[in-house]
Amino acid sequence: MYGMVNKAIQDLVTSKFGEDKWITIKEKVGFEDDFFISMQSYPDELTYNLVGAASEVLKMDSGAILEAFGEYWILYTAEEGYGEMLALSGSSLPQFLGNLNMLHERITHIMPNLKPPKFSVKEITENHVELTYESDREGLAPMVVGLLKGLGTRFEKKCKIEQIVTRDKEGVDVFSVSW
Ligand code: 1DX
């Protein structure tokens, strides 16, 4: 995963829980560098280990950490140089969701090691969609819940998010999103 993801985890932990907690987490996973480089690829295992260590140190369920992280990602990327890209990806929640694959394709042009998930949107009613999420990575569905909450906040919509299908081996997750 690109360093930007690990950096965002660091930023979330330090801003919410303090520098000391971050140092403990970093030591637990044995990450020895001084910082992450946003545009460098790191093993996925490092990211999973950071979440696992954060779960132990902060005494939070790892699902809760992933969800908080997903929500934070929307704010973090908006402030760390990707604000315009996000703004160009839609001015409403359903429009933004419909443009997610295009957004990732654009980034992949510049960052070829990106392994973006695929999303598809099925419109149920004017204020209800079903979002299908398909990823090479396992266990990140709680992060998608957080991403959707963050997008709800971004578009000033009170969203109801429910996972209606849970992936079994190589399958897809489906979320019901209504507002
Ligand atoms: F609903 O993999 C809204 O490394 C959403 O299953 C969902 O493979 C917004 F620094 C720059 C860079 C770099 C910008 F230049 C990433 F490298 C990407 C910015 C997406 C904003 C995906 C991050 C793959 C890294 C993945 C969950 C779960 C997608 C994280 C959220 C907008 C992003 O993101 C999974 C990787 C960006 C960048 C956005 C993602 C990788 C998302 C969303 N993903 C790197």
Side-chain angles (χ1 to χ4, degrees), residues 12-149:
L12 172 62
V13 169
T14 45
S15 64
K16 271 203 160 165
F17 302 96
E19 184 76 26
D20 292 0
K21 296 287 188 206
W22 172 250
I23 292 166
T24 311
I25 291 164
K26 212 178 121 158
E27 279 173 356
K28 240 185 193 316
V29 306
F31 183 74
E32 310 235 307
D33 301 0
D34 293 322
F35 45 80
F36 299 108
I37 300 168
S38 291
M39 300 197 184
Q40 181 181 303
S41 292
Y42 294 83
D44 279 3
E45 195 195 6
L46 173 59
T47 308
Y48 284 102
N49 287 346
L50 286 171
V51 172
S55 161
E56 288 175 30
V57 172
L58 304 173
K59 299 177 178 66
M60 275 169 76
D61 185 80
S62 44
I65 290 176
L66 285 168
E67 187 176 321
F69 177 64
E71 204 167 345
Y72 190 69
W73 179 254
I74 303 298
L75 296 173
Y76 183 82
T77 51
E79 285 169 5
E80 294 296 316
Y82 297 89
E84 192 179 3
M85 182 192 75
L86 294 182
L88 290 170
S89 296
S91 50
S92 71
L93 182 61
Q95 193 188 23
F96 193 99
L97 293 175
N99 283 329
L100 272 173
N101 293 340
M102 192 182 67
L103 181 160
H104 284 108
E105 274 166 37
R106 289 217 183 109
I107 301 168
T108 307
H109 272 290
I110 324 165
M111 299 288 147
N113 288 328
L114 201 79
K115 282 195 272 167
K118 283 197 210 83
F119 293 96
S120 64
V121 185
K122 181 170 149 197
E123 199 171 302
I124 307 295
T125 66
E126 189 192 323
N127 56 357
H128 181 195
V129 297
E130 284 177 9
L131 180 77
T132 299
Y133 159 72
E134 194 172 0
S135 177
D136 292 346
R137 301 185 174 103
E138 278 181 51
L140 302 183
M143 185 176 173
V144 176
V145 173
L147 287 159
L148 290 167
K149 286 187 176 172

Side-chain angles (χ1 to χ4, degrees), residues 134-135 138 167-172:
E134 194 172 0
S135 177
E138 278 181 51
R167 106 181 209 170
D168 40 24
K169 278 208 182 313
E170 320 245 315
V172 301

